[in-house]
Amino acid sequence: MNQSLIAEAETCLQQSIRFYHGKPVGTVAAADKVLLEEQLNYNECFIRDFFPCGLAFLIQGKREIVKNFLEVTLGLQLDWENPISGSGLFAQVRKSLLTQDHENEEWVRPGQGLMPASFLVINQQEIKADFGQRAIGRVTPVDSGLWWIFLLNVYEKACDQANVPEEKIAHRPEFQRGIKLLLELCLAKRFDMNPTMLVPEGAFMIDRRMGVYGHPIEIQALFYIALKSGLGLLNSEDIQALDLESRLDKLVKYIRYQYWLDPVLLRRVYRYQTEEFGETALNKFNIYANAVPDWVLRWLDRKGGYLVGNVGVGWMDFRFFSQGNLLSIISALTTDKQSEAILTLIEQQWSSLIGEMPMKICYPAVMGRDWEIITGCDPKNVPWSYHNGGNWPVLIWSLVAASLKMGQANIAQGAIAIAEKYLANDQWPEYYDDQDGKIIGRQARLYQTWTISGYLVAQYLLQNPQHLELI
Ligand code: GLC
């Protein structure tokens, strides 16, 4: 174990903290020294980026910043009644929102319960939230609320572990209201009959056009975690009113069946009947064998399997998305057997999924005409770069958590050993490029906070796997 590297990461994480009226409330996305303050939005605190930071702080026993973060972001949650009853930072942020004028905005109001992608703290005095109205491509941050409730649940467990019940917050009326608004928004009845959640393009970590609209696996895994968190955080009346248990049950069965792919199932896809009508159809989404890309058959190991990226009419997105698969293992959305098969696949495909830096965000990259159509000719997402098959060090925390959970410490150790060779020397880049992830990302920020905290969480978990209980 590399103590000096851990110490360096801890210092960097500490330096990324931002304060509001003197209180620590979050961490900036990147503390890159060559970035101008106003350049892009890396000086904002992103909810999804804060998750591994929050986890690192909780493991370090620093609960205050996580509590403040949860209060501030709850204060920013869209709630058109804007109640300000409640205490502390929540009420402070809420009151400050009263002065903001929405009249002349060009946008219509999204459903209440939405959490921002990020917030900016201006001179410690003012907080400005971004719900996508300023984001590149105007993407909707569907995952923010899901990461928020996940972190809230982890925070409550950390308070239990430290035996400080008086520090718990989820029972407070303002939190109960926030949790319900969030889950109501996720569960709202719309045009869809699937138990999964339907989202627009770029609604999560992949927040650019990448063909991840519809029912992407990362959102479904987070949705599952959010529903399970709701079970633990709400009272039984609210759980019943939201019908949480039955939705969870349907969601689990659906994902384990419709998204799962292994060599046996792949052969079934090759033999699928098509144009089936009626309740007994096996090929529910009318998928044609011709649509199976060539690489899948070679890539799938005999013992391996994974959850495909997306499922919809005439469409199975065969790409492997790491975060969705890893979160499914961590949360037990997959069965034990499926979880083991995913890890087997990762081991078998070590060079394509881990390579020189754990780990690839998705595999394979889209290329040629597909790249033109799917990404809209996005130069940042050229093949094997950024969201299109780049390697993202932040994913190491989920990889390590998933492999330790399944008793595969060898994967965790191997991944950390690779990451350690480069991360600090390369100044903690946001992502790496190329098929094997060897090149520092062409447009990567340095001192990317979730790269730093992802590494720390991975190390803390390896040192003491009991921390897994938090997640
Ligand atoms: C980029 C990433 C997104 C991340 C943000 C801040 O927009 O695509 O996942 O949250 O940067 O790091």
Side-chain angles (χ1 to χ4, degrees):
M1 188 181 323
N2 198 331
Q3 286 302 351
S4 67
L5 219 60
I6 296 178
E8 179 183 327
E10 283 169 345
T11 309
C12 290
L13 178 60
Q14 205 59 28
Q15 285 166 350
S16 70
I17 295 178
R18 288 297 173 268
F19 295 84
Y20 177 60
H21 294 288
K23 293 183 177 154
V25 291
T27 49
V28 279
D32 193 335
K33 297 186 181 61
V34 296
L35 271 183
L36 295 173
E37 264 296 288
E38 64 279 10
Q39 205 176 337
L40 292 175
N41 50 356
Y42 286 85
N43 56 350
E44 305 218 356
C45 174
F46 282 74
I47 296 197
R48 74 173 71 85
D49 294 40
F50 188 76
F51 185 85
C53 304
L55 208 51
F57 288 129
L58 290 175
I59 294 175
Q60 293 170 357
K62 292 180 183 154
R63 286 181 297 280
E64 194 207 343
I65 181 170
V66 181
K67 173 169 158 280
N68 292 345
F69 168 87
L70 289 165
E71 283 188 11
V72 164
T73 41
L74 177 67
L76 295 172
Q77 182 186 36
L78 282 188
D79 184 345
W80 301 117
E81 286 164 35
N82 203 21
I84 47 176
S85 56
S87 53
L89 279 168
F90 166 77
Q92 204 173 347
V93 170
R94 264 296 140 89
K95 276 188 205 132
S96 75
L97 294 186
L98 290 177
T99 56
Q100 293 182 11
D101 177 19
H102 296 285
E103 278 309 303
N104 297 322
E105 283 174 3
E106 78 187 275
W107 312 105
V108 294
R109 295 175 160 196
Q112 58 176 4
L114 188 68
M115 290 266 180
S118 60
F119 63 85
L120 180 67
V121 191
I122 306 163
N123 300 326
Q124 283 212 35
Q125 303 295 317
E126 212 188 307
I127 284 196
K128 206 170 146 192
D130 179 27
F131 291 90
Q133 79 276 21
R134 283 185 282 123
I136 297 167
R138 304 292 183 259
V139 279
T140 315
V142 178
D143 67 334
S144 286
L146 308 174
W147 284 115
W148 179 85
I149 190 172
F150 190 7
L151 187 62
L152 175 61
N153 202 28
V154 176
Y155 172 81
E156 298 284 287
K157 282 191 202 161
C159 292
D160 285 337
Q161 281 184 0
N163 208 8
V164 283
E166 66 283 4
E167 288 184 25
K168 289 172 90 169
I169 49 178
H171 59 277
R172 289 192 202 156
E174 66 271 26
F175 272 88
Q176 289 288 305
R177 179 177 169 83
I179 296 168
K180 277 187 278 177
L181 287 184
L182 167 68
L183 292 178
E184 276 163 11
L185 180 62
C186 295
L187 294 164
K189 292 182 175 36
R190 265 166 262 156
F191 296 104
D192 200 10
M193 286 197 322
N194 300 305
T196 38
M197 193 156 98
L198 175 65
V199 298
E201 179 66 283
F204 54 104
M205 174 183 186
I206 297 182
D207 54 0
R208 298 169 83 92
R209 200 170 131 190
M210 267 295 290
V212 289
Y213 52 86
H215 304 91
I217 187 61
E218 179 169 332
I219 285 287
Q220 309 317 322
L222 284 169
F223 180 37
Y224 173 72
I225 292 171
L227 293 179
K228 278 221 301 205
S229 304
L231 278 189
L233 298 171
L234 290 172
N235 63 43
S236 52
E237 271 163 40
D238 290 327
I239 290 173
Q240 262 184 357
L242 288 166
D243 208 10
L244 284 191
E245 289 181 69
S246 113
R247 183 62 172 258
L248 262 169
D249 188 49
K250 289 195 168 120
L251 179 65
V252 174
K253 286 186 186 138
Y254 185 88
I255 296 282
R256 287 179 180 176
Y257 187 68
Q258 299 294 348
Y259 281 66
W260 185 250
L261 191 73
D262 59 23
V264 176
L265 286 168
L266 186 58
R267 282 200 296 280
R268 190 182 300 165
V269 174
Y270 279 120
R271 292 193 305 262
Y272 262 161
Q273 301 281 318
T274 51
E275 310 297 331
E276 290 176 290
F277 179 80
E279 281 89 359
T280 52
L282 282 181
N283 182 4
K284 289 197 171 44
F285 296 106
N286 202 33
I287 290 163
Y288 286 89
N290 273 350
V292 182
D294 290 341
W295 61 269
V296 186
L297 195 57
R298 296 190 136 270
W299 196 71
L300 254 185
D301 180 67
R302 279 198 163 73
K303 295 183 295 284
Y306 66 103
L307 297 170
V308 295
N310 215 320
V311 174
V313 52
W315 184 33
M316 190 173 262
D317 183 344
F318 288 91
R319 282 176 292 173
F320 176 92
F321 288 84
S322 300
Q323 185 74 301
N325 274 277
L326 296 171
L327 288 175
S328 301
I329 299 178
I330 295 169
S331 63
L333 172 55
T334 38
T335 63
D336 278 355
K337 230 176 126 197
Q338 290 177 331
S339 300
E340 277 158 19
I342 297 171
L343 291 176
T344 302
L345 183 69
I346 292 174
E347 275 193 299
Q348 295 296 327
Q349 291 299 340
W350 193 264
S351 60
S352 58
L353 291 175
I354 312 270
E356 299 287 320
M357 180 54 65
M359 124 169 237
K360 240 181 224 326
I361 192 167
C362 66
Y363 180 91
V366 291
M367 300 182 219
R369 186 76 182 127
D370 286 345
W371 168 78
E372 289 176 8
I373 295 170
I374 291 174
T375 72
C377 302
D378 185 348
K380 199 164 177 181
N381 274 338
V382 289
W384 308 114
S385 183
Y386 203 49
H387 298 143
N388 189 11
N391 292 42
W392 288 64
V394 61
L395 296 171
I396 199 171
W397 81 260
S398 344
L399 174 64
V400 165
S403 38
L404 290 176
K405 179 184 170 187
M406 299 311 294
Q408 301 238 32
N410 55 321
I411 297 185
Q413 282 156 351
I416 289 179
I418 294 174
E420 281 189 339
K421 272 203 279 183
Y422 306 109
L423 277 184
N425 265 343
D426 296 347
Q427 302 180 315
W428 312 95
E430 179 189 18
Y431 67 98
Y432 285 76
D433 277 353
D434 228 0
Q435 221 152 330
D436 55 3
K438 203 175 170 57
I439 306 172
I440 298 175
R442 275 158 267 199
Q443 297 192 45
R445 309 293 139 195
L446 301 179
Y447 295 96
Q448 182 80 16
T449 308
W450 68 357
T451 297
I452 295 162
S453 58
Y455 167 73
L456 277 177
V457 171
Q459 280 287 13
Y460 294 156
L461 291 176
L462 189 65
Q463 279 169 26
N464 182 1
Q466 276 187 344
H467 292 310
L468 273 179
E469 279 163 32
L470 285 173
I471 46 171

